[in-house]
Amino acid sequence: MTSKKCIIIHGCPSDVEKAMNPETKTYDKHWIPWTKKQLIANNIETETPLMPSPWYPDYEKFKKEFEKYSVDENTILVGHSCGCAFLVRWLGETKRKIFKLILVAPWKIPDKDDEYRKKFYTYPIDETIKTRVKKIIMFTADDEEEDGKKSLKIFHKALDGEVIELKGRGHYTLNDMGIEEFPELIEVVLR
């Protein structure tokens, strides 16, 4: 059996302080480091790249960084928040086949005054993605923000897939969850 690999693309924090660990060039916030550790322990090679200046998200810059990693039919892509918007757009453009696409608190609605996010989120979703991805799973929460719930509906309408709604997880940030563990995600990646 060919081994699976996983790439986790983080969300877009509001400022530099919230974003990064410049020493490691990896994203180490919320549930991402814990998840990476669990997946590696289960023999799934896992990358958590730090996207360029995500507080001013730029699709082309994200794409350039992301394409340093190889993506094939054994790849599991996990996005959080604006990371989901990036992955869906990238899969639509590249027509790549992958094993699983997991969207955690997917986001597609820009604040009206944010030009960066307007450009980042405003694109048509390629509905043929679902023909090239073996499994699509989306996580949301009963207490997610209204625009988050609307975003989920936009992605789900275009891509179908399974929706998992957990209680009290908010936008799946450490603040909202209160814990770094995210066992439901591990379960979905491993099944």
Side-chain angles (χ1 to χ4, degrees):
M1 194 186 120
T2 323
S3 64
K4 301 283 179 254
K5 61 181 178 253
C6 179
I7 305 171
I8 303 174
I9 301 301
H10 61 78
C12 298
S14 51
D15 61 48
V16 180
E17 296 310 304
K18 291 181 184 158
M20 59 203 254
N21 183 338
E23 282 81 64
T24 61
K25 296 204 180 353
T26 61
Y27 192 83
D28 60 5
K29 300 277 184 285
H30 312 311
W31 43 268
I32 293 177
W34 180 86
T35 300
K36 181 178 183 176
K37 212 177 286 172
Q38 302 305 309
L39 295 179
I40 290 171
N42 280 283
N43 298 316
I44 295 177
E45 182 191 319
T46 304
E47 300 289 350
T48 56
L50 180 61
M51 293 291 116
S53 44
W55 47 94
Y56 294 134
D58 177 309
Y59 176 76
E60 290 306 322
K61 287 179 184 168
F62 269 46
K63 182 178 175 178
K64 194 175 172 200
E65 181 60 34
F66 180 72
E67 288 181 346
K68 293 176 182 173
Y69 300 87
S70 85
V71 173
D72 60 29
E73 292 177 22
N74 293 304
T75 304
I76 299 160
L77 295 178
V78 178
H80 177 227
S81 192
C82 98
C84 300
F86 167 77
L87 289 173
V88 169
R89 182 172 172 183
W90 185 84
L91 285 167
E93 279 185 9
T94 62
K95 310 294 182 223
R96 223 40 98 70
K97 286 184 177 175
I98 64 166
F99 185 58
K100 280 183 194 169
L101 174 64
I102 302 171
L103 306 179
V104 179
W107 204 270
K108 197 167 179 344
I109 298 170
D111 294 334
K112 60 181 183 302
D113 305 325
D114 188 331
E115 284 311 310
Y116 283 98
R117 282 171 176 75
K118 234 179 247 175
K119 282 190 199 129
F120 200 84
Y121 289 127
T122 311
Y123 65 88
I125 296 174
D126 173 8
E127 296 190 11
T128 69
I129 288 171
K130 59 188 167 215
T131 66
R132 293 185 298 277
V133 178
K134 282 201 175 83
K135 249 200 159 346
I136 297 174
I137 300 116
M138 302 177 195
F139 281 93
T140 188
D142 59 345
D143 58 346
E144 167 66 289
E145 293 171 49
E146 213 38 57
D147 279 352
K149 289 180 178 178
K150 284 181 194 159
S151 294
L152 178 89
K153 283 185 181 130
I154 294 167
F155 283 115
H156 191 254
K157 184 174 185 263
L159 302 175
D160 300 327
E162 178 187 353
V163 173
I164 299 172
E165 182 180 277
L166 300 177
K167 289 199 181 319
R169 298 293 177 90
H171 193 56
Y172 288 82
T173 59
L174 187 55
N175 242 7
D176 289 349
M177 292 171 68
I179 52 171
E180 291 181 352
E181 291 81 25
F182 189 174
E184 298 87 351
L185 175 59
I186 303 301
E187 200 181 298
V188 163
V189 171
L190 297 179
R191 72 173 179 214

